Amino acid sequence: MLLKISCTHFKGKIYLIWDQRRGVLHYWKFYWFLPEEFGTMYFNKMQRGILRNTLEKDSPQVLTLIQSVLIPDTPLDIVDLALKCLSSWMQFGVSLLEAEPIIQEVFKGIHNECLFDTTVDVLITVFGHPESSKYSNTLVKLLPKIVDLQPLLHQVIQSQDMDRCQGLCRLIVTVAETHSELLVISVMSSEERRSCALTIVHMVLVLTDMPGAFSVDETCSDLALGFWYILYEDIVSSNPAQYQTYLQIFQPVYLTLLRALIRKVQYPDEEIYNSMSQEEKEQFRCYRQDIYDTVMYIFAILRELLLIEMSSKLTQLAGRLPNQQVKWQEAEAVVFLFGAISENLEYEENTYLPHLFDSLSKLKLYNTTLISTTLQSIGAYSEWFSEHPAILVTILPHILQGLYNPEVATAASMALRDVVRDNRDHLKPFVSEIISTCQTAINSGTLKCRECVRLMSCVGFSLSPLATADSMQYLNIILLPHLQQLHLLATQQPSSTGKAGILMRLEMFSWLFSSLDTRYREGGDEQTGEDAVVSKETSEPQPVFLILTQTLPIMAALTQVWKTDIGIIDSICEVLKRAIGTLLDDIQPLIHDVSHLIVQLYSEIPSSAVLDITKKLIVLFGKDAEHKTTISSLFDSVCSKTQQYLGSDPQERTDILEQFMMILAQVMKKNSSFFLDSSCDMTLLFQTGIIGLGLPEKLTVKSSCSFLTEVINRNPFAKEVVITNIEALLDRVFRAIGGESPRFVLDPVVDILVALNKHYFDYLAKWLIFFVQQDGFPTSRVTVKEKELFSKTILKERANKRKVKETVSEFTLICRGLITSITAFM
């Protein structure tokens, strides 16, 4: 409203009003809000241009007025409003060069407690403005003002004035982050500029190393962490000659930073930590993770210096005499940050890490948090161990010992999983000990369900290098109690306790099946699924096949009792899915039994997991003559049941419809002749796809369009089906484009139009004429001429999918009233 008045009555000129009367505050507020109103209100292009020119033209007078009140005798409330006014005009676009004289004066407000907050906010706006970096010469003049704040910074830290400390922290970090490139360049300039730049960097370092524990004693140090990444980016992006010079200058800074972070990442004393609220603990956890991430790029600057520092710290901590108590927080901090550099270390590194792990093994682990962190850090180096397997002798006993302690079992099981997964080729000497420990831990009853499942995965990875006969000797002992318990639960009436026991054991088998693969690629990455490559040729069956043979009857019995429980059904499907992913062709002797179980699973309740398994079997064995009858029968049963489940209201089960359409599209694409041997009604399937096309869910529409497009492209295989249903199909397509479907689902619909244009051009042209002539269809917002132009463009661009997509996008905007001009098609 202020801009409307100024534009109408001031006739392009902003008259400055300086009045010492009572209304002066209101006039200052007017100048404060004026640029903000310009940014938030709507104007047409011409109005906005006029107003911007007017504001820019008269901004020097506003700056003059502001500067005139920044004197000692001016009332503080007036100065406060003048500062806010300056901030508003700086955000509008007043350049740093124009405002430099005022900004020099603004710094004085930091030393006034009443003006401190406003002054800090103004300076943050000034230095943080995206355009400020263009004025490097002006910045060079202003940065010494930031350096002059150093005594005040030390004063507020020592006096524990957290409010002012927070303000100074925000200002200093904003300057350092926004102009880090200038700081880096300045260190190679004159001595004065170099000193100024390094002082600002050290001020950020002081803020990073604030005294006390974060979230308890201070809340500033986390704000400074982001700067070190920005500085790192500016250093490493420099040219090679400059990079080496920058390293010499900044490596001591980053080494000091590392030592500061080792202190800051430490847990406070247990009494203090236990008194912290949940919110404070969560803040501290996030803060530690931020430090963890910071150390990753500290390593990129320090490299060997960081390893030497870590090695020295760990050696010192591990070498303490028994009567010299090691503070566990200090040891935990070093071990925690040791894990942070694991991702950036080369696998060939063998100078420092062996010594580090030797010191780690000698560390006195007497605190559960320290033990957990140690195990997590060991797990982080699992891939490095594969190149240095001799270290396994040192670290595996620590991991296995942790499994006996419920308080650290989570970290121990995760570390063991990572180590055995990445070191299967080196595990044979340790298999017996690993399996024995896992079995004892699982049977102890002290572990959580998730930990037991994870240990079963460890069993699978550990046994993968062994021959089937050797693996089964271990597995028969480990699995027998669980098979017996599952069999017992399958004979009992459903209960919550029984369900929990079933779900846990099914998940254990599921993870065992995905990890136990005696034909994995030695020395390479784990491969599962349809494209896995088998490198160990052998005639003996895989352990997973033998275990699955035993579990199939039990799962069939469970299905009879729990056939209406979606949780149990999905868990059984997950077991089958992982077994198929590991066995692939080796599952063929069990195809009939698996198919029969799938039909059982799908008999009472719809499940997308069952459909996923069905798709996997059809893709793998749909073309196999030996299993043709079994797979066809499975497909027919699933199709029949799905049609029954969807009924008259498929929108209630879009997940089922989506998965079903994916199956049909996959089969039609890879083995279209499969439908010829099926008893499924192709017309009914096509009509189901048309229904799916009209639903609002994007993935459902995408899978439905994929199936319909595949059918159309299989001309003349499904020609009769398409011709019979083309009217209903196009009606649904045009309604979707016309606005009945959300715009974000329309991309797959284009594929249908392109396919019809290619294979059924005459039919498409005929129905497009009918579409044009039908009044009010698909919406009353479009005229006949607009529909004609749309139809002609679609028919003309039959081979240009991009153009058809653009045409559909433009036409749907017209139908929805978002575009009114016919020139959208031009």
Side-chain angles (χ1 to χ4, degrees):
M1 197 62 182
L2 295 174
L3 281 173
K4 298 281 188 183
I5 295 171
S6 66
C7 195
T8 304
H9 298 287
F10 293 174
K11 298 181 181 179
K13 181 72 176 176
I14 300 176
Y15 291 99
L16 302 177
I17 303 171
W18 172 239
D19 192 342
Q20 294 293 340
R21 292 173 302 172
R22 251 169 59 182
V24 68
L25 293 177
H26 297 293
Y27 292 124
W28 274 112
K29 290 179 180 178
F30 171 81
Y31 292 119
W32 173 16
F33 292 136
L34 198 59
E36 293 183 3
E37 289 276 322
F38 174 80
T40 57
M41 290 185 64
Y42 172 78
F43 301 99
N44 61 39
K45 190 173 182 180
M46 182 177 295
Q47 287 176 325
R48 184 166 288 276
I50 293 172
L51 286 167
R52 174 170 283 282
N53 289 336
T54 302
L55 291 171
E56 288 176 348
K57 181 180 178 181
D58 291 291
S59 60
Q61 298 176 59
V62 176
L63 294 180
T64 301
L65 179 59
I66 294 172
Q67 189 169 16
S68 69
V69 301
L70 297 182
I71 56 178
D73 295 335
T74 307
L76 292 181
D77 55 349
I78 298 293
V79 176
D80 187 76
L81 281 173
L83 291 173
K84 291 175 180 177
C85 181
L86 174 63
S87 178
S88 180
W89 282 83
M90 293 298 295
Q91 288 177 350
F92 164 73
V94 172
S95 71
L96 188 64
L97 182 63
E98 292 178 89
E100 180 200 343
I102 302 179
I103 296 169
Q104 296 277 3
E105 295 296 322
V106 168
F107 272 97
K108 297 177 181 178
I110 284 186
H111 300 282
N112 187 314
E113 290 190 14
C114 297
L115 298 175
F116 179 85
D117 292 335
T118 303
T119 303
V120 167
D121 290 339
V122 172
L123 292 174
I124 288 174
T125 300
V126 168
F127 286 102
H129 196 283
E131 300 291 318
S132 62
S133 58
K134 293 181 179 179
Y135 306 96
S136 55
N137 291 333
T138 305
L139 285 168
V140 169
K141 297 177 184 177
L142 292 173
L143 288 181
K145 289 289 185 179
I146 299 296
V147 174
D148 291 343
L149 297 176
Q150 198 171 11
L152 179 61
L153 176 63
H154 289 299
Q155 177 189 330
V156 297
I157 290 175
Q158 290 174 2
S159 62
Q160 297 183 345
D161 185 349
M162 282 300 110
D163 289 335
R164 286 203 294 169
C165 187
Q166 185 92 5
L168 288 175
C169 181
R170 287 170 50 229
L171 172 58
I172 294 166
V173 169
T174 297
V175 172
E177 289 183 348
T178 308
H179 306 292
S180 61
E181 186 176 358
L182 178 62
L183 296 178
V184 171
I185 295 172
S186 296
V187 299
M188 296 181 66
S189 183
S190 66
E191 183 60 33
E192 183 181 355
R193 288 184 60 181
R194 174 192 172 100
S195 175
C196 179
L198 288 178
T199 301
I200 292 174
V201 171
H202 279 91
M203 290 172 75
V204 180
L205 186 57
V206 168
L207 290 167
T208 309
D209 192 22
M210 286 278 293
F214 177 77
S215 82
V216 177
D217 304 310
E218 56 90 9
T219 55
C220 298
S221 57
D222 62 322
L223 300 176
L225 294 177
F227 164 73
W228 300 109
Y229 175 75
I230 297 172
L231 181 62
Y232 153 77
E233 285 282 305
D234 289 330
I235 293 171
V236 298
S237 62
S238 60
N239 63 57
Q242 290 176 325
Y243 176 68
Q244 293 302 321
T245 305
Y246 288 149
L247 281 185
Q248 293 176 11
I249 295 171
F250 286 106
Q251 275 185 339
V253 176
Y254 273 89
L255 186 58
T256 304
L257 173 65
L258 174 67
R259 291 166 180 163
L261 294 182
I262 290 176
R263 185 188 72 79
K264 291 298 293 182
V265 83
Q266 292 179 26
Y267 280 93
D269 291 339
E270 293 185 57
E271 184 179 347
I272 296 175
Y273 184 75
N274 292 333
S275 66
M276 291 167 61
S277 66
Q278 285 300 119
E279 182 179 356
E280 289 174 332
K281 288 181 179 179
E282 178 60 18
Q283 288 176 349
F284 184 67
R285 185 196 66 78
C286 295
Y287 175 68
R288 277 171 55 92
Q289 185 60 50
D290 289 340
I291 291 179
Y292 187 94
D293 296 337
T294 303
V295 169
M296 287 196 290
Y297 41 85
I298 290 178
F299 176 72
I301 298 292
L302 296 180
R303 307 299 297 181
E304 286 189 0
L305 290 175
L306 185 146
L307 294 174
I308 293 171
E309 182 73 14
M310 288 287 191
S311 180
S312 174
K313 288 277 187 185
L314 273 179
T315 301
Q316 181 183 3
L317 291 168
R320 295 276 179 88
L321 297 173
N323 59 346
Q324 294 178 304
Q325 183 67 33
V326 177
K327 189 178 179 182
W328 72 263
Q329 289 91 339
E330 183 181 355
E332 193 273 344
V334 176
V335 174
F336 177 70
L337 296 183
F338 172 53
I341 62 175
S342 60
E343 294 184 16
N344 298 329
L345 271 173
E346 295 84 4
Y347 293 156
E348 295 77 19
E349 207 295 312
N350 60 1
T351 303
Y352 300 100
L353 282 187
H355 179 68
L356 277 163
F357 278 107
D358 181 62
S359 299
L360 197 63
S361 66
K362 296 176 182 177
L363 202 60
K364 301 175 181 65
L365 304 177
Y366 61 90
N367 176 274
T368 54
T369 304
L370 173 58
I371 297 171
S372 293
T373 302
T374 302
L375 293 171
Q376 290 167 8
S377 294
I378 289 173
Y381 285 88
S382 60
E383 294 184 15
W384 183 84
F385 295 143
S386 65
E387 299 295 328
H388 307 273
I391 305 292
L392 293 174
V393 178
T394 303
I395 59 99
L396 272 175
H398 289 284
I399 299 175
L400 297 178
Q401 185 65 33
L403 295 177
Y404 294 114
N405 184 348
E407 294 184 73
V408 300
T410 298
S413 61
M414 293 175 72
L416 182 61
R417 179 201 58 197
D418 293 340
V419 170
V420 297
R421 180 194 60 217
D422 296 329
N423 295 271
R424 283 177 283 184
D425 298 335
H426 311 295
L427 289 179
K428 285 186 180 180
F430 312 102
V431 166
S432 182
E433 185 179 3
I434 292 173
I435 300 302
S436 174
T437 304
C438 288
Q439 181 183 2
T440 303
I442 291 172
N443 294 337
S444 67
T446 59
L447 300 187
K448 300 173 184 176
C449 171
R450 194 72 234 157
E451 292 158 0
C452 292
V453 170
R454 201 176 292 122
L455 288 184
M456 195 60 80
S457 177
C458 297
V459 169
F461 287 127
S462 301
L463 294 179
S464 293
L466 305 185
T468 298
D470 296 332
S471 296
M472 291 307 297
Q473 287 182 0
Y474 290 107
L475 289 169
N476 286 333
I477 298 173
I478 294 174
L479 299 180
L480 182 60
H482 302 290
L483 287 170
Q484 291 175 339
Q485 188 64 28
L486 275 178
H487 186 273
L488 177 63
L489 291 169
T491 63
Q492 298 175 354
Q493 290 299 313
S495 66
S496 57
T497 304
K499 180 178 178 179
I502 293 170
L503 290 175
M504 185 187 81
R505 287 169 178 81
L506 287 176
E507 194 171 4
M508 289 170 67
F509 278 101
S510 176
W511 281 91
L512 176 66
F513 287 170
S514 67
S515 60
L516 177 56
D517 187 359
T518 58
R519 300 185 185 184
Y520 73 96
R521 182 187 287 275
E522 285 193 72
D525 295 332
E526 179 187 357
Q527 297 191 16
T528 58
E530 297 168 21
D531 299 322
V533 180
V534 174
S535 64
K536 295 182 180 180
E537 296 297 336
T538 176
S539 58
E540 64 180 1
Q542 289 203 63
V544 171
F545 177 87
L546 299 176
I547 301 168
L548 184 61
T549 303
Q550 300 176 57
T551 55
L552 277 174
I554 298 176
M555 288 191 291
L558 287 170
T559 302
Q560 291 297 320
V561 179
W562 296 87
K563 55 188 175 183
T564 59
D565 190 296
I566 192 67
I568 299 291
I569 299 300
D570 286 351
S571 293
I572 292 175
C573 288
E574 189 64 23
V575 172
L576 295 175
K577 178 181 177 180
R578 299 201 181 201
I580 294 170
T582 298
L583 294 175
L584 299 176
D585 285 348
D586 291 347
I587 202 174
Q588 290 189 64
L590 296 175
I591 287 293
H592 182 271
D593 294 336
V594 172
S595 298
H596 182 68
L597 178 57
I598 291 173
V599 172
Q600 277 187 280
L601 291 168
Y602 208 55
S603 62
E604 293 291 335
I605 186 170
S607 168
S608 56
V610 174
L611 293 174
D612 190 35
I613 295 291
T614 304
K615 181 183 73 172
K616 210 171 187 69
L617 286 178
I618 293 173
V619 170
L620 284 173
F621 305 110
K623 295 182 180 180
D624 197 320
E626 181 182 352
H627 305 293
K628 189 174 185 179
T629 303
T630 302
I631 299 299
S632 293
S633 175
L634 170 64
F635 180 69
D636 292 345
S637 177
V638 167
C639 285
S640 175
K641 275 292 181 184
T642 303
Q643 296 284 356
Q644 179 182 329
Y645 289 141
L646 294 175
S648 59
D649 192 9
Q651 193 163 356
E652 291 297 318
R653 295 311 310 257
T654 54
D655 59 328
I656 300 297
L657 181 56
E658 175 194 331
Q659 195 67 248
F660 183 52
M661 288 292 113
M662 287 175 62
I663 293 176
L664 298 179
Q666 191 90 330
V667 175
M668 182 62 71
K669 182 177 182 179
K670 295 193 174 184
N671 188 13
S672 58
S673 60
F674 189 80
F675 285 93
L676 297 175
D677 303 314
S678 171
S679 63
C680 292
D681 187 339
M682 190 65 196
T683 298
L684 190 57
L685 296 178
F686 195 85
Q687 291 170 351
T688 304
I690 294 174
I691 293 172
L693 191 157
L695 296 178
E697 286 80 11
K698 184 175 182 178
L699 293 179
T700 305
V701 173
K702 183 179 179 179
S703 59
S704 299
C705 289
S706 179
F707 168 60
L708 294 171
T709 304
E710 290 297 334
V711 174
I712 295 168
N713 286 333
R714 294 294 175 245
N715 184 38
F717 167 71
K719 185 174 183 178
E720 184 179 344
V721 174
V722 176
I723 293 174
T724 304
N725 294 278
I726 193 169
E727 179 183 359
L729 174 61
L730 287 173
D731 179 79
R732 174 47 58 193
V733 167
F734 293 143
R735 288 182 183 278
I737 296 172
E740 290 189 9
S741 295
R743 272 195 298 155
F744 61 79
V745 307
L746 293 182
D747 281 356
V749 176
V750 175
D751 295 332
I752 295 177
L753 289 175
V754 172
L756 289 173
N757 225 343
K758 181 177 181 180
H759 298 289
Y760 297 90
F761 179 81
D762 293 339
Y763 292 93
L764 177 61
K766 170 188 172 183
W767 286 107
L768 279 173
I769 294 173
F770 178 77
F771 155 69
V772 170
Q773 294 173 347
Q774 195 171 355
D775 291 336
F777 181 82
T779 172
S780 58
R781 289 192 179 97
V782 289
T783 64
V784 172
K785 287 184 178 181
E786 289 170 332
K787 290 194 287 184
E788 284 178 351
L789 181 55
F790 170 73
S791 301
K792 287 178 181 178
T793 308
I794 292 292
L795 294 173
K796 178 184 176 182
E797 304 293 344
R798 58 187 303 181
N800 191 339
K801 181 180 175 180
R802 180 187 61 81
K803 184 62 177 176
V804 173
K805 182 179 178 181
E806 290 175 359
T807 303
V808 169
S809 298
E810 291 160 353
F811 186 70
T812 193
L813 290 175
I814 295 174
C815 291
R816 297 163 197 265
L818 301 176
I819 290 180
T820 58
S821 176
I822 195 68
T823 57
F825 294 115
M826 297 302 181

